[in-house]
């Protein structure tokens, strides 16, 4: 099992949409960034990439590349999901916290969980999202920005134990037929 941790922060500014967890939230300001500046998805992607020892989102999606300007972080999360699959990792769970004084996140959390789960092809029960304020303290407390923390647990496909019936059907257990077995040989 592998554990990953991610953190992201973006400044709140006028004339931007507020998108968090892949959900557009009606609010007078949005987050400033090269992409859509979705702090929650950025923290989750960094946690996933970190657990797999694959670097971070800056490595894979640099803000110096025009192709990522204004891109949806859901699309970036899909790319991270593909990287995990290519490297034979399975997501066990994600736990994340959004830190924002305003707006209130509670009405949007279930939609965020669904969006993340669908994008990563996992169950919504594997995704937990919480939100908190900082009681008026710091840059998030003064509504200058929003931040997010995320942790995740990954497992390698090869760590799953399969019975003999699966080996007979050409699945894992050293069969050389699946991606996991081909990578080991």
């Amino acid at each position: 099992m592998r554990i990953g941790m991610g953190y992201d922060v973006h400044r709140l500014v006028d004339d931007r949409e507020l998108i968090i967890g892949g959900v557009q939230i009606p609010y007078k300001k949005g987050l400033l960034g090269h992409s859509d500046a979705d702090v929650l998805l950025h923290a989750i992607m960094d946690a996933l990439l970190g657990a797999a020892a694959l670097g971070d989102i800056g490595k894979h999606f640099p803000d110096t590349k025009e192709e990522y300007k204004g891109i949806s972080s859901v699309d970036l999360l899909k790319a991270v999901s593909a990287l995990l699959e290519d490297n034979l990792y399975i997501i066990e769970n994600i736990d994340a916290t959004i830190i924002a004084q305003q707006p209130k996140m509670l009405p949007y959390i279930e939609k965020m969980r669904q969006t993340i789960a669908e994008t990563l092809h996992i169950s919504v029960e594997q995704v937990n999202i919480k939100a908190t304020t900082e009681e008026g303290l710091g840059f998030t407390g003064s509504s200058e920005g929003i931040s997010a923390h995320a942790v995740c647990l990954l497992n390698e496909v090869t760590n799953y134990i399969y019975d003999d019936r699966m080996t007979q059907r050409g699945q894992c257990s050293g069969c050389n037929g699946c991606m996991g077995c081909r990578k080991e040989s």
Side-chain angles (χ1 to χ4, degrees), residues 13-168:
V13 296
D14 293 324
D15 301 320
R16 290 274 297 195
E17 292 180 343
L18 180 60
I19 300 170
I20 300 179
V23 176
Q24 186 171 344
I25 299 172
Y27 190 59
K28 60 187 176 187
K29 293 185 175 189
L31 295 169
L32 180 63
H34 188 68
S35 66
D36 63 6
D38 187 328
V39 291
L40 178 60
L41 293 189
H42 292 187
I44 289 171
M45 287 186 280
D46 271 346
L48 293 168
L49 290 167
L54 294 172
D56 62 14
I57 61 174
K59 173 185 174 181
H60 294 278
F61 317 111
D63 63 6
T64 55
K65 292 207 173 183
E66 195 62 28
E67 65 193 273
Y68 300 121
K69 186 167 181 61
I71 193 168
S72 166
S73 293
V74 172
D75 291 338
L76 300 179
L77 185 60
K78 286 177 188 174
V80 169
S81 180
L83 276 170
L84 294 177
E85 188 173 315
D86 289 348
N87 286 276
L88 305 174
Y89 289 106
I90 295 170
I91 299 168
E92 295 290 344
N93 77 305
I94 296 168
D95 186 26
T97 304
I98 304 162
I99 300 104
Q101 196 67 35
Q102 298 177 47
K104 294 294 183 197
M105 297 291 152
L106 185 60
Y108 309 101
I109 286 179
E110 285 310 309
K111 180 63 178 159
M112 291 176 193
R113 290 178 67 215
Q114 291 169 2
T115 299
I116 293 163
E118 288 171 11
T119 303
L120 294 172
H121 308 290
I122 59 177
S123 167
V124 73
E125 288 79 21
Q126 292 172 272
V127 180
N128 189 55
I129 300 171
K130 307 171 295 291
T132 189
T133 68
E134 293 204 293
E135 304 296 330
L137 300 172
F139 69 90
T140 55
S142 64
S143 298
E144 293 176 60
I146 295 176
S147 65
H149 294 266
V151 294
C152 72
L153 183 64
L154 299 182
N155 212 335
E156 295 178 59
V157 169
T158 55
N159 285 344
Y160 282 84
I161 299 172
Y162 298 94
D163 64 22
D164 288 339
R165 291 171 294 172
M166 295 186 87
T167 303
Q168 292 167 5

